[in-house]
Structure formats: structure tokens, C-alpha cells
Amino acid sequence: MAEFIIIAPALLFVCFGILQFVLLYQAKSTLDVAVLEAAREGAVNHGSMQAMRSGLARGLAPLYARQASADGVSAALARAQIDAANYSIIAVLNPTSAAIQDYSRPRYYPDQAATYSEMPNDSLMYRDASITSAATSGMNIQDANLLKIHVHYCYAMYVPLVNKVIYYATNVIGSIGTMGLLTRDPANQDPYGAPRNADVLCKTQLKDGVATGRWPIALDSEAIVRMQSPLRASALNDSPNPTGN
């Protein structure tokens, strides 16, 4: 009995750790699917950042589901939309700004009475695949029509104690002891605990983490799809990324 009492705290911590890492694996798998959905939304909406963020939120919604009902789905989607707007950064890796500048042309839409600068997307298999000397991007029109995005997302860990340990470890916060790990913050003037490797978007003030139990960790994923609509540079900037803390 005495042996069990001695080993029980460590065993409980290991079990909590296993549970948290299983949830992290689930979150990463869900994020991979969500990023692909975001890329698909961008592909059919002229590369709209707003559309990509909406697709990302829909893909992340299962992480926030708490009940199997229509109300539960709506609540999960609402929470996912908030986190997608505030705790995720979508970066367009391709096409580059040079490629957009190389191939964008003005196009008039009579039904909208508007002209957009956009990159042609039609008949790609029949277009010249060579790279002209004027193309500063070093890519042809076919490669320029590949949409590749990178998503940096802050996932909130919620398994007790283990979430704070992982947060302290990933951000390299030095005071991992009874004064910093369990209930109180490190004794310094930095509300973030003076992290050495802090993530600008995913860091949190330690007092807020203790109060809310929200200890985020950064997850990253990429996806690449073929554009299904002409890409517009203006659409890439219709929903700004959060700037972090």
C-alpha cells in the first residue's frame, strides 16, 4: 500500500500525459484536414483569405464539439470561428508576390461592373508552359496557379497539470517548480514568465492560464491545391491575420 501511495502521483501524471498527447495527435490530424479544406475554399474563391479562414473554422469545428445535436454543431462552429480568427495565421506560400505580379492581368466583369487584377486560370493545359525571361518569379503560369498555404494554429491543451508542463517546456520558461508549475507564477516582472522561446501568437499571460486553464501550443500544417478560379491579389488581403500578444 505504501508503495502505491508513493508511485500513484507519478503514475497519474504519466496517464494524464498519455491522454494529452493522444489529444494533440487528434488535434494535429484535424488541423491537417482543416487546412486542406481552407485551401480548397481559397481555390474556388479567388484566393480569398476570408474564405480560407471560414473553411479552416469548419474543419476545426470537431475539436470544439461537446454534444451531438444541431445546437452542439452550431456552438462548435461558433467557437472554431473565434479561434480561427484570433489564434491562427494563414500564410500563402504560393503563388508568390512575384508570380502574381508576373501573370496578373485586368479583367472586366460586366455583371458586377467591376474590373479586377487577376491571374488567368482557364485552359492551363493549353497555355505555354515555358518560363519567359520577363518572369521574375522563375515559374510558369501552371505552377503559379498552385495554391499552397501554411497554417499556424494555437491549440488549447486542457488536461490538468500536464497542459501547463508542456506549455512551460515548449516556451522554455525557467521556473518549473512548485512556485511556477503548480499554482503560482515565477517570481519576475514578466507576466508571460520570461519565456526564452515564446510563440508570439500562442503565448499567454501566466495568471490568465492559471485562471482559465487555457495553455496553448502551436501546431502547423500545409496544403497545396490547384486554383479553380482566377487568383486576385486583393482577395488575399480581405481578412488580416492576428498579430498576437
Side-chain angles (χ1 to χ4, degrees):
M1 185 64 179
E3 293 84 354
F4 177 76
I5 294 175
I6 294 173
I7 198 65
L11 182 61
L12 185 63
F13 181 81
V14 170
C15 292
F16 278 8
I18 293 173
L19 177 59
Q20 182 62 79
F21 278 103
V22 168
L23 292 173
L24 282 173
Y25 179 81
Q26 178 195 42
K28 180 60 169 65
S29 299
T30 303
L31 177 64
D32 290 341
V33 175
V35 173
L36 180 58
E37 186 167 349
R40 286 173 172 173
E41 280 290 333
V44 299
N45 287 284
H46 307 286
S48 168
M49 185 64 68
Q50 185 175 4
M52 286 191 280
R53 201 172 298 282
S54 177
L56 179 66
R58 286 199 305 274
L60 290 174
L63 292 177
Y64 301 86
R66 297 296 180 266
Q67 60 186 54
S69 66
D71 290 340
V73 171
S74 298
L77 181 57
R79 292 182 60 192
Q81 288 171 337
I82 293 173
D83 277 10
N86 297 319
Y87 299 108
S88 68
I89 294 176
I90 302 176
V92 176
L93 305 182
N94 194 76
T96 62
S97 56
I100 295 173
Q101 185 175 1
D102 284 342
Y103 296 108
S104 289
R105 301 290 184 270
R107 182 177 179 182
Y108 179 70
Y109 286 80
D111 56 331
Q112 302 178 28
T115 300
Y116 298 98
S117 177
E118 58 186 31
M119 196 161 55
N121 177 258
D122 58 298
S123 306
L124 289 178
M125 65 183 297
Y126 300 110
R127 290 180 180 269
D128 186 2
S130 62
I131 302 174
T132 65
S133 58
T136 59
S137 60
M139 64 177 68
N140 58 30
I141 184 66
Q142 287 80 6
D143 290 341
N145 267 280
L146 290 174
L147 177 64
K148 182 178 182 180
I149 65 172
H150 176 101
V151 173
H152 183 74
Y153 166 66
C154 300
Y155 170 70
M157 301 175 288
Y158 51 85
V159 176
L161 186 60
V162 174
N163 56 356
K164 192 173 184 181
V165 172
I166 296 175
Y167 179 83
Y168 271 54
T170 55
N171 288 277
V172 193
I173 297 176
S175 183
I176 305 184
T178 56
M179 297 298 290
L181 179 61
L182 299 178
T183 57
R184 300 177 60 183
D185 301 336
N188 57 53
Q189 301 301 315
D190 187 345
Y192 295 99
R196 300 179 189 175
N197 190 31
D199 186 293
V200 175
L201 185 65
C202 299
K203 69 179 183 179
T204 185
Q205 291 194 17
L206 302 186
K207 65 176 183 179
D208 294 336
V210 172
T212 64
R214 187 183 191 280
W215 300 100
I217 188 172
L219 299 178
D220 292 80
S221 184
E222 294 182 356
I224 182 169
V225 296
R226 175 76 66 182
M227 286 296 299
Q228 302 298 316
S229 60
L231 185 137
R232 300 170 183 169
S234 59
L236 292 174
N237 301 308
D238 62 5
S239 178
N241 281 310
T243 57
N245 298 303

PDB file of all heavy atoms in Angstrom, residues 80-106:
ATOM      1  N   ALA A  80     -15.067  27.618 -33.078  1.00  0.00           N
ATOM      2  CA  ALA A  80     -13.989  27.417 -34.045  1.00  0.00           C
ATOM      3  C   ALA A  80     -13.740  28.682 -34.859  1.00  0.00           C
ATOM      4  O   ALA A  80     -12.589  29.018 -35.167  1.00  0.00           O
ATOM      5  CB  ALA A  80     -14.327  26.248 -34.971  1.00  0.00           C
ATOM      6  N   GLN A  81     -14.795  29.401 -35.205  1.00  0.00           N
ATOM      7  CA  GLN A  81     -14.644  30.643 -35.962  1.00  0.00           C
ATOM      8  C   GLN A  81     -13.898  31.697 -35.146  1.00  0.00           C
ATOM      9  O   GLN A  81     -13.072  32.442 -35.686  1.00  0.00           O
ATOM     10  CB  GLN A  81     -16.019  31.164 -36.382  1.00  0.00           C
ATOM     11  CG  GLN A  81     -16.675  30.339 -37.478  1.00  0.00           C
ATOM     12  CD  GLN A  81     -18.114  30.729 -37.740  1.00  0.00           C
ATOM     13  OE1 GLN A  81     -18.788  31.304 -36.877  1.00  0.00           O
ATOM     14  NE2 GLN A  81     -18.613  30.417 -38.925  1.00  0.00           N
ATOM     15  N   ILE A  82     -14.176  31.751 -33.857  1.00  0.00           N
ATOM     16  CA  ILE A  82     -13.482  32.708 -32.988  1.00  0.00           C
ATOM     17  C   ILE A  82     -11.993  32.384 -32.918  1.00  0.00           C
ATOM     18  O   ILE A  82     -11.132  33.259 -33.062  1.00  0.00           O
ATOM     19  CB  ILE A  82     -14.106  32.702 -31.578  1.00  0.00           C
ATOM     20  CG1 ILE A  82     -15.528  33.266 -31.624  1.00  0.00           C
ATOM     21  CG2 ILE A  82     -13.249  33.505 -30.606  1.00  0.00           C
ATOM     22  CD1 ILE A  82     -16.279  33.151 -30.316  1.00  0.00           C
ATOM     23  N   ASP A  83     -11.677  31.102 -32.712  1.00  0.00           N
ATOM     24  CA  ASP A  83     -10.272  30.716 -32.606  1.00  0.00           C
ATOM     25  C   ASP A  83      -9.556  30.813 -33.951  1.00  0.00           C
ATOM     26  O   ASP A  83      -8.365  31.145 -34.005  1.00  0.00           O
ATOM     27  CB  ASP A  83     -10.161  29.296 -32.052  1.00  0.00           C
ATOM     28  CG  ASP A  83     -10.260  29.265 -30.533  1.00  0.00           C
ATOM     29  OD1 ASP A  83     -10.596  30.314 -29.948  1.00  0.00           O
ATOM     30  OD2 ASP A  83     -10.013  28.206 -29.929  1.00  0.00           O
ATOM     31  N   ALA A  84     -10.263  30.520 -35.039  1.00  0.00           N
ATOM     32  CA  ALA A  84      -9.649  30.645 -36.362  1.00  0.00           C
ATOM     33  C   ALA A  84      -9.307  32.099 -36.666  1.00  0.00           C
ATOM     34  O   ALA A  84      -8.327  32.390 -37.355  1.00  0.00           O
ATOM     35  CB  ALA A  84     -10.579  30.086 -37.430  1.00  0.00           C
ATOM     36  N   ALA A  85     -10.120  33.013 -36.137  1.00  0.00           N
ATOM     37  CA  ALA A  85      -9.880  34.438 -36.368  1.00  0.00           C
ATOM     38  C   ALA A  85      -8.798  34.996 -35.456  1.00  0.00           C
ATOM     39  O   ALA A  85      -8.022  35.866 -35.863  1.00  0.00           O
ATOM     40  CB  ALA A  85     -11.178  35.220 -36.175  1.00  0.00           C
ATOM     41  N   ASN A  86      -8.728  34.482 -34.223  1.00  0.00           N
ATOM     42  CA  ASN A  86      -7.835  35.072 -33.226  1.00  0.00           C
ATOM     43  C   ASN A  86      -6.569  34.275 -32.946  1.00  0.00           C
ATOM     44  O   ASN A  86      -5.589  34.831 -32.442  1.00  0.00           O
ATOM     45  CB  ASN A  86      -8.593  35.257 -31.903  1.00  0.00           C
ATOM     46  CG  ASN A  86      -9.754  36.215 -32.027  1.00  0.00           C
ATOM     47  OD1 ASN A  86      -9.654  37.251 -32.673  1.00  0.00           O
ATOM     48  ND2 ASN A  86     -10.880  35.874 -31.421  1.00  0.00           N
ATOM     49  N   TYR A  87      -6.590  32.976 -33.251  1.00  0.00           N
ATOM     50  CA  TYR A  87      -5.461  32.128 -32.877  1.00  0.00           C
ATOM     51  C   TYR A  87      -4.930  31.301 -34.041  1.00  0.00           C
ATOM     52  O   TYR A  87      -4.459  30.182 -33.845  1.00  0.00           O
ATOM     53  CB  TYR A  87      -5.856  31.205 -31.716  1.00  0.00           C
ATOM     54  CG  TYR A  87      -6.253  31.939 -30.468  1.00  0.00           C
ATOM     55  CD1 TYR A  87      -7.587  31.981 -30.059  1.00  0.00           C
ATOM     56  CD2 TYR A  87      -5.306  32.615 -29.700  1.00  0.00           C
ATOM     57  CE1 TYR A  87      -7.962  32.669 -28.913  1.00  0.00           C
ATOM     58  CE2 TYR A  87      -5.673  33.307 -28.560  1.00  0.00           C
ATOM     59  CZ  TYR A  87      -7.001  33.326 -28.175  1.00  0.00           C
ATOM     60  OH  TYR A  87      -7.363  34.014 -27.041  1.00  0.00           O
ATOM     61  N   SER A  88      -5.017  31.828 -35.249  1.00  0.00           N
ATOM     62  CA  SER A  88      -4.437  31.127 -36.391  1.00  0.00           C
ATOM     63  C   SER A  88      -3.899  32.135 -37.397  1.00  0.00           C
ATOM     64  O   SER A  88      -4.480  33.205 -37.584  1.00  0.00           O
ATOM     65  CB  SER A  88      -5.472  30.215 -37.066  1.00  0.00           C
ATOM     66  OG  SER A  88      -6.478  30.979 -37.699  1.00  0.00           O
ATOM     67  N   ILE A  89      -2.792  31.784 -38.005  1.00  0.00           N
ATOM     68  CA  ILE A  89      -2.179  32.606 -39.050  1.00  0.00           C
ATOM     69  C   ILE A  89      -2.121  31.775 -40.327  1.00  0.00           C
ATOM     70  O   ILE A  89      -1.557  30.673 -40.335  1.00  0.00           O
ATOM     71  CB  ILE A  89      -0.767  33.065 -38.655  1.00  0.00           C
ATOM     72  CG1 ILE A  89      -0.828  34.019 -37.463  1.00  0.00           C
ATOM     73  CG2 ILE A  89      -0.069  33.743 -39.831  1.00  0.00           C
ATOM     74  CD1 ILE A  89       0.540  34.445 -36.951  1.00  0.00           C
ATOM     75  N   ILE A  90      -2.719  32.297 -41.385  1.00  0.00           N
ATOM     76  CA  ILE A  90      -2.693  31.628 -42.686  1.00  0.00           C
ATOM     77  C   ILE A  90      -1.713  32.375 -43.584  1.00  0.00           C
ATOM     78  O   ILE A  90      -1.895  33.560 -43.865  1.00  0.00           O
ATOM     79  CB  ILE A  90      -4.090  31.604 -43.333  1.00  0.00           C
ATOM     80  CG1 ILE A  90      -5.095  30.896 -42.419  1.00  0.00           C
ATOM     81  CG2 ILE A  90      -4.031  30.912 -44.693  1.00  0.00           C
ATOM     82  CD1 ILE A  90      -6.520  30.907 -42.952  1.00  0.00           C
ATOM     83  N   ALA A  91      -0.677  31.685 -44.007  1.00  0.00           N
ATOM     84  CA  ALA A  91       0.325  32.279 -44.889  1.00  0.00           C
ATOM     85  C   ALA A  91       0.251  31.607 -46.253  1.00  0.00           C
ATOM     86  O   ALA A  91       0.251  30.377 -46.344  1.00  0.00           O
ATOM     87  CB  ALA A  91       1.723  32.119 -44.299  1.00  0.00           C
ATOM     88  N   VAL A  92       0.178  32.412 -47.299  1.00  0.00           N
ATOM     89  CA  VAL A  92       0.163  31.884 -48.666  1.00  0.00           C
ATOM     90  C   VAL A  92       1.607  31.768 -49.150  1.00  0.00           C
ATOM     91  O   VAL A  92       2.300  32.771 -49.325  1.00  0.00           O
ATOM     92  CB  VAL A  92      -0.655  32.800 -49.601  1.00  0.00           C
ATOM     93  CG1 VAL A  92      -0.584  32.284 -51.035  1.00  0.00           C
ATOM     94  CG2 VAL A  92      -2.106  32.872 -49.136  1.00  0.00           C
ATOM     95  N   LEU A  93       2.062  30.541 -49.342  1.00  0.00           N
ATOM     96  CA  LEU A  93       3.434  30.291 -49.787  1.00  0.00           C
ATOM     97  C   LEU A  93       3.559  30.339 -51.306  1.00  0.00           C
ATOM     98  O   LEU A  93       4.617  30.669 -51.837  1.00  0.00           O
ATOM     99  CB  LEU A  93       3.903  28.931 -49.269  1.00  0.00           C
ATOM    100  CG  LEU A  93       3.808  28.706 -47.748  1.00  0.00           C
ATOM    101  CD1 LEU A  93       4.348  27.332 -47.387  1.00  0.00           C
ATOM    102  CD2 LEU A  93       4.547  29.792 -46.985  1.00  0.00           C
ATOM    103  N   ASN A  94       2.488  29.971 -51.981  1.00  0.00           N
ATOM    104  CA  ASN A  94       2.465  30.007 -53.444  1.00  0.00           C
ATOM    105  C   ASN A  94       1.028  30.286 -53.893  1.00  0.00           C
ATOM    106  O   ASN A  94       0.093  29.743 -53.302  1.00  0.00           O
ATOM    107  CB  ASN A  94       2.937  28.669 -54.027  1.00  0.00           C
ATOM    108  CG  ASN A  94       3.258  28.764 -55.513  1.00  0.00           C
ATOM    109  OD1 ASN A  94       4.291  29.290 -55.889  1.00  0.00           O
ATOM    110  ND2 ASN A  94       2.358  28.276 -56.347  1.00  0.00           N
ATOM    111  N   PRO A  95       0.842  31.159 -54.875  1.00  0.00           N
ATOM    112  CA  PRO A  95       1.855  31.860 -55.663  1.00  0.00           C
ATOM    113  C   PRO A  95       2.528  32.981 -54.872  1.00  0.00           C
ATOM    114  O   PRO A  95       1.916  33.575 -53.985  1.00  0.00           O
ATOM    115  CB  PRO A  95       1.047  32.424 -56.832  1.00  0.00           C
ATOM    116  CG  PRO A  95      -0.324  32.606 -56.270  1.00  0.00           C
ATOM    117  CD  PRO A  95      -0.528  31.459 -55.326  1.00  0.00           C
ATOM    118  N   THR A  96       3.759  33.249 -55.205  1.00  0.00           N
ATOM    119  CA  THR A  96       4.495  34.329 -54.562  1.00  0.00           C
ATOM    120  C   THR A  96       4.020  35.667 -55.119  1.00  0.00           C
ATOM    121  O   THR A  96       3.342  35.730 -56.148  1.00  0.00           O
ATOM    122  CB  THR A  96       5.994  34.172 -54.816  1.00  0.00           C
ATOM    123  OG1 THR A  96       6.238  34.256 -56.235  1.00  0.00           O
ATOM    124  CG2 THR A  96       6.503  32.828 -54.309  1.00  0.00           C
ATOM    125  N   SER A  97       4.394  36.728 -54.436  1.00  0.00           N
ATOM    126  CA  SER A  97       4.017  38.061 -54.914  1.00  0.00           C
ATOM    127  C   SER A  97       4.619  38.340 -56.287  1.00  0.00           C
ATOM    128  O   SER A  97       4.008  39.018 -57.127  1.00  0.00           O
ATOM    129  CB  SER A  97       4.467  39.124 -53.906  1.00  0.00           C
ATOM    130  OG  SER A  97       5.863  39.032 -53.662  1.00  0.00           O
ATOM    131  N   ALA A  98       5.821  37.789 -56.537  1.00  0.00           N
ATOM    132  CA  ALA A  98       6.451  37.976 -57.849  1.00  0.00           C
ATOM    133  C   ALA A  98       5.656  37.265 -58.939  1.00  0.00           C
ATOM    134  O   ALA A  98       5.481  37.797 -60.045  1.00  0.00           O
ATOM    135  CB  ALA A  98       7.886  37.456 -57.814  1.00  0.00           C
ATOM    136  N   ALA A  99       5.156  36.061 -58.637  1.00  0.00           N
ATOM    137  CA  ALA A  99       4.362  35.320 -59.621  1.00  0.00           C
ATOM    138  C   ALA A  99       3.048  36.036 -59.910  1.00  0.00           C
ATOM    139  O   ALA A  99       2.599  36.100 -61.063  1.00  0.00           O
ATOM    140  CB  ALA A  99       4.097  33.909 -59.117  1.00  0.00           C
ATOM    141  N   ILE A 100       2.437  36.574 -58.871  1.00  0.00           N
ATOM    142  CA  ILE A 100       1.186  37.315 -59.063  1.00  0.00           C
ATOM    143  C   ILE A 100       1.433  38.540 -59.937  1.00  0.00           C
ATOM    144  O   ILE A 100       0.639  38.861 -60.830  1.00  0.00           O
ATOM    145  CB  ILE A 100       0.599  37.718 -57.697  1.00  0.00           C
ATOM    146  CG1 ILE A 100       0.200  36.471 -56.900  1.00  0.00           C
ATOM    147  CG2 ILE A 100      -0.607  38.630 -57.875  1.00  0.00           C
ATOM    148  CD1 ILE A 100      -0.232  36.758 -55.483  1.00  0.00           C
ATOM    149  N   GLN A 101       2.540  39.204 -59.694  1.00  0.00           N
ATOM    150  CA  GLN A 101       2.873  40.382 -60.497  1.00  0.00           C
ATOM    151  C   GLN A 101       3.188  39.996 -61.945  1.00  0.00           C
ATOM    152  O   GLN A 101       2.834  40.715 -62.884  1.00  0.00           O
ATOM    153  CB  GLN A 101       4.064  41.113 -59.875  1.00  0.00           C
ATOM    154  CG  GLN A 101       4.411  42.425 -60.565  1.00  0.00           C
ATOM    155  CD  GLN A 101       5.512  43.179 -59.835  1.00  0.00           C
ATOM    156  OE1 GLN A 101       6.024  42.713 -58.824  1.00  0.00           O
ATOM    157  NE2 GLN A 101       5.863  44.343 -60.346  1.00  0.00           N
ATOM    158  N   ASP A 102       3.817  38.846 -62.130  1.00  0.00           N
ATOM    159  CA  ASP A 102       4.173  38.400 -63.481  1.00  0.00           C
ATOM    160  C   ASP A 102       2.947  38.112 -64.343  1.00  0.00           C
ATOM    161  O   ASP A 102       2.921  38.457 -65.533  1.00  0.00           O
ATOM    162  CB  ASP A 102       5.033  37.131 -63.410  1.00  0.00           C
ATOM    163  CG  ASP A 102       6.468  37.421 -62.995  1.00  0.00           C
ATOM    164  OD1 ASP A 102       6.889  38.587 -63.098  1.00  0.00           O
ATOM    165  OD2 ASP A 102       7.151  36.474 -62.549  1.00  0.00           O
ATOM    166  N   TYR A 103       1.936  37.471 -63.751  1.00  0.00           N
ATOM    167  CA  TYR A 103       0.854  36.923 -64.568  1.00  0.00           C
ATOM    168  C   TYR A 103      -0.510  37.591 -64.380  1.00  0.00           C
ATOM    169  O   TYR A 103      -1.455  37.252 -65.100  1.00  0.00           O
ATOM    170  CB  TYR A 103       0.722  35.419 -64.292  1.00  0.00           C
ATOM    171  CG  TYR A 103       1.950  34.642 -64.706  1.00  0.00           C
ATOM    172  CD1 TYR A 103       2.818  34.118 -63.750  1.00  0.00           C
ATOM    173  CD2 TYR A 103       2.252  34.455 -66.046  1.00  0.00           C
ATOM    174  CE1 TYR A 103       3.953  33.414 -64.129  1.00  0.00           C
ATOM    175  CE2 TYR A 103       3.385  33.752 -66.435  1.00  0.00           C
ATOM    176  CZ  TYR A 103       4.235  33.235 -65.475  1.00  0.00           C
ATOM    177  OH  TYR A 103       5.359  32.544 -65.855  1.00  0.00           O
ATOM    178  N   SER A 104      -0.636  38.489 -63.442  1.00  0.00           N
ATOM    179  CA  SER A 104      -1.933  39.140 -63.239  1.00  0.00           C
ATOM    180  C   SER A 104      -2.252  40.086 -64.390  1.00  0.00           C
ATOM    181  O   SER A 104      -1.380  40.807 -64.883  1.00  0.00           O
ATOM    182  CB  SER A 104      -1.944  39.912 -61.918  1.00  0.00           C
ATOM    183  OG  SER A 104      -1.954  39.026 -60.824  1.00  0.00           O
ATOM    184  N   ARG A 105      -3.514  40.062 -64.794  1.00  0.00           N
ATOM    185  CA  ARG A 105      -3.997  40.923 -65.858  1.00  0.00           C
ATOM    186  C   ARG A 105      -5.354  41.497 -65.452  1.00  0.00           C
ATOM    187  O   ARG A 105      -6.129  40.828 -64.766  1.00  0.00           O
ATOM    188  CB  ARG A 105      -4.160  40.141 -67.173  1.00  0.00           C
ATOM    189  CG  ARG A 105      -2.888  39.477 -67.683  1.00  0.00           C
ATOM    190  CD  ARG A 105      -1.880  40.502 -68.181  1.00  0.00           C
ATOM    191  NE  ARG A 105      -0.698  39.854 -68.753  1.00  0.00           N
ATOM    192  CZ  ARG A 105       0.381  39.530 -68.059  1.00  0.00           C
ATOM    193  NH1 ARG A 105       0.416  39.769 -66.746  1.00  0.00           N
ATOM    194  NH2 ARG A 105       1.425  38.963 -68.651  1.00  0.00           N
ATOM    195  N   PRO A 106      -5.684  42.706 -65.876  1.00  0.00           N
ATOM    196  CA  PRO A 106      -7.016  43.252 -65.560  1.00  0.00           C
ATOM    197  C   PRO A 106      -8.102  42.521 -66.341  1.00  0.00           C
ATOM    198  O   PRO A 106      -7.924  42.193 -67.520  1.00  0.00           O
ATOM    199  CB  PRO A 106      -6.901  44.718 -65.986  1.00  0.00           C
ATOM    200  CG  PRO A 106      -5.801  44.742 -66.993  1.00  0.00           C
ATOM    201  CD  PRO A 106      -4.840  43.674 -66.598  1.00  0.00           C
TER     202      PRO A 106
END
